[in-house]
C-alpha cells in the first residue's frame, strides 16, 4: 500500500528529532528521507545541530516551511 508523505508533519518531525530517528519511524534510511525532504522543499537542521543542543548551546535557527504553489507528491511504501 502506498502512502503520501505529509509535508507539514515531516517538517515538524525533522525539527523535533534527528533525521536518523525520524527515518527509522518511516522505515527508510536517513539518506532516503533527506532526499524526500529536498523534493518537498522541507528545510532541515544544519550539520551539528543536535550535538550543539546536547551540549547546551543554541542550535541552528528553525527555518520556516516555504510556501509552494505546486507541492510535489512523494509516495512511500509500507
Amino acid at each position: 500500500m502506498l502512502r503520501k508523505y505529509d509535508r507539514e508533519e515531516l517538517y515538524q518531525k525533522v525539527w523535533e528529532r534527528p533525521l536518523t530517528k525520524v527515518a527509522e519511524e518511516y522505515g527508510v534510511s536517513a539518506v532516503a528521507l533527506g532526499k524526500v525532504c529536498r523534493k518537498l522543499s522541507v528545510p532541515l537542521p544544519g550539520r551539528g545541530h543536535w550535538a550543539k543542543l546536547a551540549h547546551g548551546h543554541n542550535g541552528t535557527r528553525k527555518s520556516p516551511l516555504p510556501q509552494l504553489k505546486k507541492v510535489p507528491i512523494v509516495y512511500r511504501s509500507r
Side-chain angles (χ1 to χ4, degrees):
M1 179 176 158
L2 295 177
R3 296 175 57 191
K4 290 193 307 184
Y5 282 98
D6 183 331
R7 187 170 178 255
E8 287 80 19
E9 177 185 334
L10 189 57
Y11 171 72
Q12 293 301 323
K13 288 183 179 184
V14 297
W15 283 94
E16 290 172 357
R17 294 182 294 147
L19 198 61
T20 54
K21 302 294 181 192
V22 177
E24 287 176 8
E25 181 181 327
Y26 283 103
V28 296
S29 69
V31 173
L33 192 60
K35 289 180 180 181
V36 170
C37 289
R38 237 176 289 132
K39 288 179 185 176
L40 294 175
S41 298
V42 173
L44 297 172
R47 188 176 298 247
H49 172 78
W50 300 106
K52 289 176 185 176
L53 291 180
H55 289 88
H57 299 284
N58 293 331
T60 55
R61 188 173 301 213
K62 186 175 180 179
S63 303
L65 185 62
Q67 297 294 323
L68 299 178
K69 290 182 181 180
K70 193 170 187 178
V71 178
I73 299 172
V74 181
Y75 291 99
R76 62 186 174 104
S77 60
R78 265 239 169 236

